[in-house]
């Protein structure tokens, strides 16, 4: 089965047609900038452009960087607040003219890593964290996802953790790898105290340079490994969600088509 996977991020919107059985892209991915302000209609327009540029007709899976329940976007920490309460399933269904499924971006990335990447065969408590514009989380036990965990927003020193330790925070405050890794280590210690995972998979754009920071995460008991699908996990997980009746957004919205 083939599906178009679209990954909506704070800076870019990426898409590729995916073979859901293998997790492989059918053609090279495309990326467009996230429009600013990142309002629903502007983003739906980019989603439409990407669908058209692949001449796509078939299921479309779309990730969103916020809580998604039953196709409705409930939070939008790094996108426009106008997203709160939007029926994204219906909006994107109309924009693409195809059946769509919408889910949280980190949940999508986590499912892809558990199926094709660093989490294959892991039955214990696994926490996938994505470091990008924000910090996304996906929690698994015995391979089953608890959707919409928002562990990027735990408070550290009175501040939202992602404001201190996301990749964006590294760039914004011009932090060295060492300094930023120290913040990530402190963040992981908090998370470990709450969840005691066996394995932590670290992903997001910054996982491409894992050798610069993962070896510096020394304060954690859990095994820490970089994501294997790197920044493509969101696209793969989005496409996979279309094939499952039990998608991470629970009952799910199918949108139009
Ligand atoms: C959002 C999460 C999202 C993460 C990564 C956070 O700000 O609240 O839902 O998974 O950013 O995009």
């Amino acid at each position: 089965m083939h599906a178009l996977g679209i990954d909506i991020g704070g800076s870019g919107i990426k898409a590729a047609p995916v073979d859901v059985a293998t997790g492989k892209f059918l053609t090279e991915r495309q990326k467009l900038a996230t429009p600013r302000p990142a309002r629903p209609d502007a983003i739906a327009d980019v989603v439409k452009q990407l669908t058209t540029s692949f001449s796509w007709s078939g299921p479309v899976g779309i990730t969103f960087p916020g809580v998604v329940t039953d196709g409705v976007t409930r939070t939008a920490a790094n996108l426009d607040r106008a997203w709160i309460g939007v029926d994204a399933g219906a909006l994107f269904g109309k924009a693409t003219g195809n059946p769509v499924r919408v889910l949280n971006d980190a949940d999508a990335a986590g499912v892809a890593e558990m199926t094709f990447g660093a989490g294959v065969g892991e039955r214990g408590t696994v926490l996938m964290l994505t470091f990008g514009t924000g910090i996304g989380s996906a929690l698994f036990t015995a391979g089953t996802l608890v959707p919409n965990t928002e562990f990027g927003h735990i408070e550290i020193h009175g501040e939202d953790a992602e404001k201190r330790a996301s990749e964006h925070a590294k760039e914004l405050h011009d932090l060295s790898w060492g300094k930023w890794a120290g913040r990530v280590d402190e963040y992981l210690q908090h998370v470990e105290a709450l969840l005691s995972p066996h394995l932590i998979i670290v992903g997001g754009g910054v996982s491409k340079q894992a050798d610069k920071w993962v070896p510096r995460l020394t304060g954690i008991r859990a095994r820490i490994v970089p994501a294997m699908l790197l920044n493509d996990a969101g696209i793969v997980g989005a496409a996979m969600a279309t094939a499952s009746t039990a998608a991470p957004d629970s009952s799910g919205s199918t949108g139009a088509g």
Side-chain angles (χ1 to χ4, degrees), residues 26-87:
L26 299 171
T27 60
E28 209 170 306
R29 74 173 199 189
Q30 292 189 29
K31 183 174 178 178
L32 295 174
T34 304
R36 290 286 162 183
R39 294 179 63 83
D41 286 350
I43 295 216
D45 208 53
V46 174
V47 164
K48 181 179 180 172
Q49 282 177 50
L50 287 165
T51 311
T52 309
S53 76
F54 287 106
S55 307
W56 188 257
S57 171
V60 183
I62 303 177
T63 76
F64 181 81
V67 171
V68 184
T69 54
D70 300 328
V72 176
T73 48
R74 305 283 178 191
T75 68
N78 295 304
L79 294 183
D80 197 275
R81 286 184 58 80
W83 276 101
I84 295 170
V86 168
D87 185 344

Side-chain angles (χ1 to χ4, degrees), residues 85-135:
V86 168
D87 185 344
L91 178 72
F92 293 138
K94 190 153 168 257
T96 64
N98 283 298
V100 307
R101 196 172 269 277
V102 187
L103 73 163
N104 174 264
D105 56 355
D107 285 346
V111 168
E113 284 294 333
M114 293 300 283
T115 312
F116 300 114
V120 170
E122 296 287 346
R123 308 302 299 164
T125 301
V126 180
L127 181 66
M128 163 97 187
L129 294 170
T130 62
F131 293 83
T133 310
I135 297 178

Side-chain angles (χ1 to χ4, degrees), residues 18-257:
V18 177
D19 180 339
V20 172
T22 61
K24 298 274 181 252
F25 289 179
L26 299 171
T27 60
E28 209 170 306
R29 74 173 199 189
Q30 292 189 29
K31 183 174 178 178
L32 295 174
T34 304
R36 290 286 162 183
R39 294 179 63 83
D41 286 350
I43 295 216
D45 208 53
V46 174
V47 164
K48 181 179 180 172
Q49 282 177 50
L50 287 165
T51 311
T52 309
S53 76
F54 287 106
S55 307
W56 188 257
S57 171
V60 183
I62 303 177
T63 76
F64 181 81
V67 171
V68 184
T69 54
D70 300 328
V72 176
T73 48
R74 305 283 178 191
T75 68
N78 295 304
L79 294 183
D80 197 275
R81 286 184 58 80
W83 276 101
I84 295 170
V86 168
D87 185 344
L91 178 72
F92 293 138
K94 190 153 168 257
T96 64
N98 283 298
V100 307
R101 196 172 269 277
V102 187
L103 73 163
N104 174 264
D105 56 355
D107 285 346
V111 168
E113 284 294 333
M114 293 300 283
T115 312
F116 300 114
V120 170
E122 296 287 346
R123 308 302 299 164
T125 301
V126 180
L127 181 66
M128 163 97 187
L129 294 170
T130 62
F131 293 83
T133 310
I135 297 178
S137 60
L139 182 67
F140 298 83
T141 181
T144 302
L145 171 72
V146 181
N148 289 309
T149 56
E150 286 281 320
F151 296 124
H153 297 294
I154 64 171
E155 212 176 284
I156 297 185
H157 302 302
E159 222 186 341
D160 209 15
E162 73 176 21
K163 294 269 180 298
R164 297 177 50 80
S166 64
E167 180 186 23
H168 177 65
K170 179 180 185 302
E171 283 160 13
L172 188 68
H173 305 297
D174 199 19
L175 303 174
S176 65
W177 285 108
K179 184 121 198 192
W180 180 68
R183 288 188 178 194
V184 174
D185 205 46
E186 184 185 40
Y187 167 63
L188 295 182
Q189 285 175 32
H190 274 74
V191 173
E192 180 160 75
L194 296 172
L195 300 171
S196 297
H198 296 98
L199 175 69
I200 300 175
I201 304 172
V202 290
V206 76
S207 56
K208 276 183 237 151
Q209 289 167 285
D211 55 321
K212 298 219 167 66
W213 57 284
V214 175
R216 299 181 202 240
L217 305 174
T218 51
I220 317 297
R221 268 193 321 277
R223 255 184 320 129
I224 304 176
V225 294
M228 276 168 62
L229 305 181
L230 303 176
N231 218 7
D232 291 338
I235 298 176
V236 175
M240 289 174 71
T242 66
S244 161
T245 46
D249 66 335
S250 64
S251 61
S253 171
T254 50

